[in-house]
Amino acid sequence: MRRKVLAMVLSAVMTAGVLAGCGNSSAEKSTADTKGTDSKEATYTVGISQFAEHGSLDNCREGFLEGLKEAGIEEGVNLDVILDNAQADTGTAATIADNFVSKNVDLICAIATPAAMSAYNSTKGTEIPVIYTAVSDPVAAQLATEDGTPVGNITGTSDALPVEEQLKMIRATLPDAKKIGILYTTSETNSESTIATYKELAGDYGFEIVDTGINTIADVEMAAKDLVTKVDCITNLTDNTVVSALQTVLAAANDAKIPVFGSEVEQVKNGCLASMGIDYVSLGKQTGEMAAKVLKGEAKASELNYELITEPSFYGNTEVADNLGITLDESYVSDAAEMFDSIEVE
């Protein structure tokens, strides 16, 4: 009987030891799960809302991801990207922003003014920061105050056009020109603001600005054909709808034998004569650096004034110049950031 009781006691002790061991394994598993959770928390989800599909905005997106990567936030490593394109439709831009909010992304990158305005409206009442890029006039878009201070949890980079430098370059290229045409979308705040600057400065260089407003991309062809009959040249803005239909504008201008000046390098590559513009990949990288600070908790978007690139560069296309019988000013060509000897249409 005593042997039987002793055996039962030993069995109970062994069972308790096994259970205790199981308890330790569970604790270790729990710790491992916690570490896994910490690892997941270090992965960021960023929604990128791109208003339209064209070279300059694509370059902004590329630069944005490069800027994040240089700051240690890399897609496929610790960054998940949700990319959506509004195809130049403001209603779609609003839907995209609402969708990002519903997914509770860590940050929204809004590329171009309509996308930025939509993202700002959608994120009101949330803690989701918005970092924009390619917004020509953040103040006119009511995304910043006159001194550059954000109006909320939103900031970014501006692609304000170097209007005076562009006018100087056009005058050097076309000594006898009098009228410059500008095609723009009436719903794009950035375009209206830039046209006002053109009209303010044009007289200083002996120019008159003739502007034509459109509502949708379907209006571009008729408007362009009418505008080329009234002017000596056209200068493009960073108007997303017009730039999306650049080849339509160029076709009308080529038929009229007048040049189109671009607002950035991609437009010159695709058939514009020349531009005093900015590098949109660099602009995007600058935006990515700002976004990285916000994601890492080093600063809040509401604490960062918007930034811009202040030094424009000259880009020229010699094939376009030859086709039009125009000689590009050598002082610009010699200091060009990049020259193209062919027209590259994607």
Side-chain angles (χ1 to χ4, degrees), residues 1 6 11 19 26 43 66-67 69 75 99 109 113 116 135 145 147 180 190 230 244 248 255 259 288 313 320 323 342:
M1 182 68 177
L6 182 59
S11 177
L19 288 174
S26 296
T43 297
E66 285 184 20
K69 183 177 179 180
E75 188 175 8
N99 181 51
C109 171
T113 303
V135 173
T145 60
D147 64 357
I180 299 175
N190 54 303
K230 304 174 180 177
S244 296
T248 301
D255 288 343
S313 299
V320 176
N323 290 343
S342 63

Side-chain angles (χ1 to χ4, degrees), residues 160-240:
L161 291 181
V163 173
E164 186 159 19
E165 287 82 356
Q166 182 88 341
L167 287 169
K168 288 179 182 177
M169 183 268 293
I170 294 174
R171 175 51 73 207
T173 308
L174 303 176
D176 300 322
K178 296 179 180 178
K179 295 183 178 181
I180 299 175
I182 299 178
L183 197 61
Y184 75 102
T185 308
T186 55
S187 60
E188 290 206 27
T189 305
N190 54 303
S191 294
E192 293 183 339
S193 172
T194 306
I195 286 175
T197 303
Y198 263 107
K199 289 183 175 180
E200 179 184 346
L201 298 174
D204 295 342
Y205 298 92
F207 290 121
E208 175 188 345
I209 301 298
V210 180
D211 58 283
T212 298
I214 61 166
N215 296 313
T216 69
I217 199 167
D219 301 329
V220 172
E221 182 174 13
M222 184 177 294
K225 286 182 176 179
D226 177 65
L227 184 61
V228 297
T229 66
K230 304 174 180 177
V231 298
D232 300 301
C233 66
I234 289 176
T235 189
N236 270 342
L237 308 180
T238 49
D239 186 294
N240 296 286

Side-chain angles (χ1 to χ4, degrees), residues 275-341:
S275 170
M276 287 299 294
I278 63 174
D279 182 336
Y280 275 81
V281 173
S282 296
L283 187 72
K285 288 180 69 174
Q286 191 171 343
T287 313
E289 292 167 3
M290 296 180 75
K293 290 180 182 178
V294 174
L295 287 170
K296 291 179 177 181
E298 296 172 1
K300 294 181 179 179
S302 58
E303 299 171 344
L304 300 172
N305 285 18
Y306 76 84
E307 301 176 1
L308 54 91
I309 292 178
T310 57
E311 293 297 326
S313 299
F314 178 77
Y315 302 93
N317 193 309
T318 55
E319 180 176 348
V320 176
D322 291 342
N323 290 343
L324 294 170
I326 294 173
T327 301
L328 293 171
D329 189 278
E330 182 56 34
S331 64
Y332 283 94
V333 173
S334 60
D335 290 330
E338 193 167 1
M339 294 292 296
F340 302 95
D341 58 9

Side-chain angles (χ1 to χ4, degrees), residues 263-274:
S263 55
E264 45 81 35
V265 59
E266 293 297 327
Q267 294 175 32
V268 177
K269 184 189 299 183
N270 293 336
C272 288
L273 175 61

